[in-house]
Amino acid sequence: MVKKNACIFISGAGTNLKALIKSSREYNFPINIKLIISSTKKAKGLNFAKKYKIPYYILNLNSQLNLALGLKKLKENNISLICLAGYMKILKKKFMNNYNSKIINIHPSLLPKYKGLDTFRRVLKSKDKVTGCTVHYVNSKIDSGQIILKKKIYIEERDTEMSLKTRVQQAEYKTYAEAIIKIFR
Ligand code: GRF
């Protein structure tokens, strides 16, 4: 299979990055992770870039200089899919225009519910019985682009933010991989 080249954007723990790296090493998975971009040098996820020997850059894409360098690296590596995985910066229009319909994100709720941050606390407060995760295309509005795939998780009465996060994130790893397969099917 001819794999498409992908770049993963991170800012934090990078557990989705780790899961994506593992999936990408499977023969039939449609992407090859050529590049990792982190918005901060403090991202723990960079350890996975090092461990799996994937080139990485720490860039603030909202600065002109870094934006130019980032776009250059993406072009050089022939990147045709950008996966945001816990990326905490808002991408500027200037960047988005270069990758129209090629940027996807994973969000820890069933969108359009609970866009934005602090999801698990808000979900638990709501007394909803069901939550989950969503993979969607990225557009100029936060967590609002076209939905690719959602997965449900049932909320238990004894759930805390931590226990819910653990279960939702487990679902995320599988859902992100399935969504990428769906895109290229
Ligand atoms: C995930 O829960 C994702 O839904 C959200 O940020 C979190 C990132 O976690 N957008 P990690 O850095 O992949 O561990």
Side-chain angles (χ1 to χ4, degrees):
M1 143 174 266
V2 182
K3 296 192 178 210
K4 302 275 183 194
N5 292 336
C7 177
I8 317 296
F9 281 25
I10 61 166
S11 299
T15 60
N16 277 281
L17 166 67
K18 181 184 175 202
L20 286 174
I21 295 173
K22 293 212 159 149
S23 299
S24 72
R25 305 222 155 171
E26 282 166 27
Y27 176 74
N28 274 328
F29 199 67
I31 60 163
N32 178 25
I33 301 171
K34 291 278 279 184
L35 214 60
I36 292 161
I37 290 182
S38 175
S39 61
T40 163
K41 64 177 184 208
K42 289 189 186 139
K44 286 210 181 90
L46 286 170
N47 289 324
F48 298 118
K50 292 173 194 157
K51 181 170 175 196
Y52 292 97
K53 300 193 171 30
I54 300 172
Y56 65 89
Y57 295 89
I58 295 151
L59 296 174
N60 169 11
L61 293 172
N62 295 336
S63 99
Q64 282 295 348
L65 208 65
N66 278 201
L67 174 68
L69 180 62
L71 287 172
K72 183 166 170 262
K73 292 294 163 198
L74 292 166
K75 295 249 152 67
E76 275 173 10
N77 285 280
N78 202 15
I79 299 298
S80 52
L81 183 72
I82 293 174
C83 305
L84 310 187
Y87 185 68
M88 298 302 285
K89 294 272 176 199
I90 293 171
L91 291 167
K92 288 264 158 65
K93 238 194 169 148
K94 230 180 183 169
F95 180 86
M96 304 260 291
N97 288 343
N98 283 271
Y99 284 91
N100 193 19
S101 306
K102 288 181 178 160
I103 311 175
I104 62 175
N105 180 43
I106 186 145
H107 184 76
S109 76
L110 294 174
L111 290 174
K113 290 183 97 171
Y114 308 107
K115 296 175 183 180
L117 298 174
D118 205 10
T119 324
F120 303 111
R121 189 186 58 78
R122 289 188 288 141
V123 166
L124 284 180
K125 212 174 151 197
S126 74
K127 305 270 174 256
D128 285 357
K129 298 264 181 291
V130 179
T131 185
C133 62
T134 307
V135 179
H136 63 95
Y137 285 102
V138 173
N139 66 12
S140 56
K141 292 200 193 107
I142 288 185
D143 301 326
S144 299
Q146 190 196 330
I147 288 169
I148 302 163
L149 197 62
K150 291 198 223 194
K151 183 94 82 201
K152 270 190 206 163
I153 290 286
Y154 290 94
I155 301 167
E156 292 164 17
E157 239 166 72
R158 60 168 187 266
D159 261 326
T160 60
E161 279 182 50
M162 211 45 197
S163 66
L164 192 59
K165 178 178 172 183
T166 304
R167 281 209 315 292
V168 169
Q169 287 203 321
Q170 284 302 323
E172 285 186 341
Y173 309 145
K174 217 165 156 247
T175 311
Y176 219 164
E178 286 172 11
I180 292 169
I181 291 170
K182 189 175 171 191
I183 290 173
F184 291 107
R185 193 163 50 206

